[in-house]
Every structure is written in C-alpha cells, then in structure tokens.
Amino acid sequence: MKAKQNTCQNCDQPYDDGFRFCPHCGQKTNDELTLGVLFYNTISNYFSFDARFFKSFIPLMTKPGYLAKEFIKGKRLLYLHPAQMYLFVAVIFFFIFNIYVREGREVLDKNMQGVLDSRYERIQAMDSLKAKDSIEVNRYLDPIKNKELVYGLDEDDIKVVDSLSKIKIPKKDLNTSFSFNEKEMDSLIALGKTDEELYSYMGMSDDAGYFERKFYAQGLKFYKTMGLGQIYQTFIDSIPLAMFFLLPIFALLLKLFFYNKGRYAHHLVFSFYYFSFLFVVFSLVFGLNRLLPIPDWIDWLIAMSTFFYLLIAIIKFYGQNWFLSFIKSGLVSFLFLLFVLPLSVSILGVIAFFFY
C-alpha cells in the first residue's frame, strides 16, 4: 500500500506521511508558527548567515509584504529569517549613523567647551581674589561685622570683603529645573564648598532619596563639566537597545488593528521585515549624504515613501482593501510616531542624563 503523501511548505516537494523533517530541504514538517518557535529559529539561525540574504534583499526592497507573507506560509528556509535580517541591517545602519553622531558630538563638545572656559575663568578670578584677600578678610572681618571704623580700605573694598563674608547656602524647595544663580554657584565653587552644600543650594531636600540625590549629583556634574556631548553620546548608544522594545510595540499596534489576522508572532514577523526595510533605506540616505549631499526635499520625499511602502505591505500581507488599509496604517503610524516614539525618546533622555 502506497504511503500517504504530504507536500513540504518550504520547498513544495512531496514526502511520505510520518516524516518529522522534509527529506529534501530539512525543514520540520509540523512547524506551526508561535512566538516560541519564532525566537527559537532566531537563536538557531543567528550564526548561519549565507546567500539567503541576497535572495531576500531584492524582495525586501521591491515587494512590500512579500517576505513576511512567504515566511508565514511556511517558506522559512528559502529566505533569510526575519530577525536575522533585522539584526544584520541594523548593524550596518548604526555603523553609518555613528559617523554622523561623532561629528555632532564634536560640535556640541566645542560649543560647551567655550561655555566651560568662560566659567572656569570666572571661578579662577574669584579664587584668586579669595587667596589675595584672605589675610585682609581675617584682619578686617570682625571690625566690619561690629560696624567699627576700618582704616586702609575704601568703600568698594569693604563691599568686596563683606560680600565674601555673607555668601550663604540658602534652602530651597525641590526644584528640578536648576534655576539657580550661576554667579552665586561659581562663588560657592570658588570658596571650596562641598558637593553636599552645593546640592542644598541647588534645591535638594534634606531627606532626599536615592533618585533625587542622583538627579542633583548628575546636575552638578553637568554644571561643572558641561557634558552635553557625553549625554548626547549616551543617548545615541541607547538607541539600538531601545529598538528591541520599539519593534515589539509596533507589532502590538498591528495586532490591535488587525486582531483577527493571525497570532502576535505573525505581526512580529511583518515588523521585523518592515524595520529592516527602514534601516536599509536610511542607511542609503545617510551613506549618500556622506558622499554627495542630497537636497532636503529629496530626503523628506524618501522618508515619506516609507509610509507608502507600509501601506502596500499591509494590503498584501493582511489582504484588506486599500481604503481600510490606508486608515489602519495611518493610525498605526500616527500612534507610533506621535506617542510611542516621543515617549521612548524622553525615557532615553532621562537614562542618558542619569548614567552618562
């Protein structure tokens, strides 16, 4: 009796019923796509990059939604795994992107150094005045406090000495804007006040917890070093990690708007390929601008084209009409760009400030 024949979902070749793996291509015969299977394939295939990338690259760029649809259908060995594709192009993108980051940090560091030099000169002048007049302060301070007549100092000299004796650290309510007087702060630094005293002047409460104390410590560090470039670099270095959270959130938005169009893992596959497309496009834009500056209107046109790519990909992947797909893709993009992305940038900014 002839055995029952099945057809492999990946290579479309027949095989006998009961086989666990296809005898032609090696793919599992019962490989239902779940979230666990998706990430298992990611780990097992991570170090097996081969010619499948070149088979996948042209469809990725010219056939929106095609690779994701083929992967869901079962063709998981013919093309590069979506997560592997994403990781590969992300490395290339951030390599190119970091070239621009380095140049941007150099500009920030140069500007901040000018501010820092000016402040340093002011503090040095105050420190020099304090050293020069230290003996005079000790000699004349008590008579000034007692309102006695002082010989050898004119009215302006008395004001200078008196001002040195009256510098205090005022108590303030918690103020996270650092809206203190810079000249007063520089005077305190010139007088050698401790960090704790400076925190108090900046507004830190006496019973400050870890996060409040850390906030003021970083604020003082920033004031002394003007480390905007360091914060900027820390922010940029956090972006690749943030993308591993943003992409699943994008997939979750797709799941909400296409809740009856498959498991969450299906939407995650679509997101991997779409973000891979985005990284390729912006890598090309940054690379071309590096070699030959492109007019801004062309850059914006290319950026806008990524939305139409998303629209076409959604139409083909989810099989809905163009009008409904346009509404849903517009809402997904709106929510992601106007809510998820700004919130993520804010969180990254806080992390960069606290840990630069």
Side-chain angles (χ1 to χ4, degrees):
M1 181 177 178
K2 189 176 180 179
K4 182 181 177 181
Q5 295 281 299
N6 294 321
T7 301
C8 176
Q9 293 177 314
N10 181 62
C11 65
D12 296 325
Q13 296 294 322
Y15 62 89
D16 291 340
D17 189 27
F19 278 56
R20 293 184 59 192
F21 297 90
C22 174
H24 303 283
C25 67
Q27 177 171 290
K28 290 182 65 175
T29 57
N30 183 17
D31 193 18
E32 185 178 1
L33 184 61
T34 64
L35 192 60
V37 169
L38 176 62
F39 282 97
Y40 171 81
N41 289 338
T42 302
I43 300 301
S44 62
N45 292 332
Y46 180 73
F47 297 105
S48 61
F49 179 81
D50 51 29
R52 289 180 297 168
F53 172 79
F54 301 102
K55 293 180 181 178
S56 307
F57 182 75
I58 294 179
L60 175 70
M61 303 304 295
T62 61
K63 297 181 178 180
Y66 175 80
L67 289 178
K69 193 172 184 178
E70 291 295 291
F71 192 85
I72 297 302
K73 286 168 57 177
K75 297 185 184 296
R76 297 170 195 166
L77 295 180
L78 184 61
Y79 300 106
L80 192 64
H81 189 276
Q84 194 175 1
M85 168 74 80
Y86 169 79
L87 291 173
F88 180 75
V89 297
V91 168
I92 296 176
F93 169 77
F94 284 109
F95 174 77
I96 297 174
F97 183 61
N98 275 324
I99 297 176
Y100 291 86
V101 170
R102 185 169 60 251
E103 294 177 349
R105 177 174 178 176
E106 290 174 357
V107 173
L108 284 175
D109 286 340
K110 183 178 179 180
N111 293 335
M112 292 300 100
Q113 189 60 45
V115 177
L116 193 60
D117 290 343
S118 176
R119 180 178 299 151
Y120 179 75
E121 291 175 1
R122 187 165 65 241
I123 293 176
Q124 285 292 96
M126 293 177 181
D127 198 42
S128 176
L129 176 63
K130 182 185 70 172
K132 178 180 178 180
D133 291 340
S134 59
I135 298 177
E136 297 298 321
V137 169
N138 292 329
R139 180 179 178 185
Y140 298 114
L141 188 55
D142 289 335
I144 290 175
K145 289 182 178 180
N146 297 328
K147 307 299 182 181
E148 297 176 3
L149 181 62
V150 180
Y151 295 97
L153 292 177
D154 58 23
E155 185 177 350
D156 291 335
D157 291 333
I158 293 175
K159 289 181 179 179
V160 171
V161 178
D162 189 46
S163 65
L164 289 173
S165 68
K166 290 182 178 179
I167 294 179
K168 297 179 180 179
I169 301 177
K171 298 289 183 180
K172 297 183 179 181
D173 295 330
L174 178 61
N175 180 6
T176 57
S177 65
F178 298 141
S179 57
F180 48 76
N181 186 291
E182 289 191 16
K183 291 184 178 180
E184 289 183 8
M185 174 64 81
D186 293 341
S187 299
L188 295 172
I189 294 174
L191 288 171
K193 297 297 183 181
T194 66
D195 286 349
E196 290 295 326
E197 291 174 311
L198 295 176
Y199 297 158
S200 180
Y201 171 74
M202 293 168 66
M204 188 180 75
S205 57
D206 295 333
D207 58 345
Y210 171 79
F211 288 104
E212 183 181 348
R213 180 172 292 276
K214 180 69 173 178
F215 180 83
Y216 281 97
Q218 291 299 96
L220 181 60
K221 176 183 177 181
F222 176 79
Y223 183 79
K224 288 182 175 181
T225 64
M226 295 305 293
L228 186 58
Q230 298 177 47
I231 296 177
Y232 176 70
Q233 185 64 55
T234 304
F235 176 85
I236 296 300
D237 291 342
S238 304
I239 293 179
L241 179 62
M243 294 305 300
F244 283 95
F245 296 95
L246 290 175
L247 190 148
I249 293 175
F250 184 82
L252 180 61
L253 291 175
L254 290 174
K255 176 63 177 176
L256 293 176
F257 283 93
F258 300 94
Y259 61 93
N260 60 344
K261 294 292 184 178
R263 295 185 175 93
Y264 173 73
H266 296 184
H267 306 289
L268 199 57
V269 167
F270 179 90
S271 301
F272 272 129
Y273 281 123
Y274 178 61
F275 273 65
S276 298
F277 168 79
L278 292 178
F279 281 143
V280 170
V281 168
F282 289 114
S283 295
L284 292 174
V285 169
F286 284 131
L288 291 174
N289 273 296
R290 183 72 178 175
L291 298 174
L292 181 65
I294 301 175
D296 290 341
W297 68 270
I298 295 181
D299 289 337
W300 281 107
L301 188 62
I302 294 174
M304 289 296 297
S305 69
T306 60
F307 170 76
F308 292 100
Y309 179 97
L310 175 63
L311 174 60
I312 297 173
I314 284 178
I315 292 174
K316 293 186 176 180
F317 182 74
Y318 294 108
Q320 291 190 338
N321 64 76
W322 71 268
F323 179 76
L324 193 57
S325 297
F326 177 80
I327 298 297
K328 290 185 176 182
S329 59
L331 289 173
V332 169
S333 300
F334 175 82
L335 291 174
F336 188 78
L337 294 176
L338 269 71
F339 291 97
V340 177
L341 201 57
L343 178 61
S344 301
V345 170
S346 300
I347 294 173
L348 286 182
V350 172
I351 293 174
F353 177 76
F354 269 85
F355 297 103
Y356 82 94

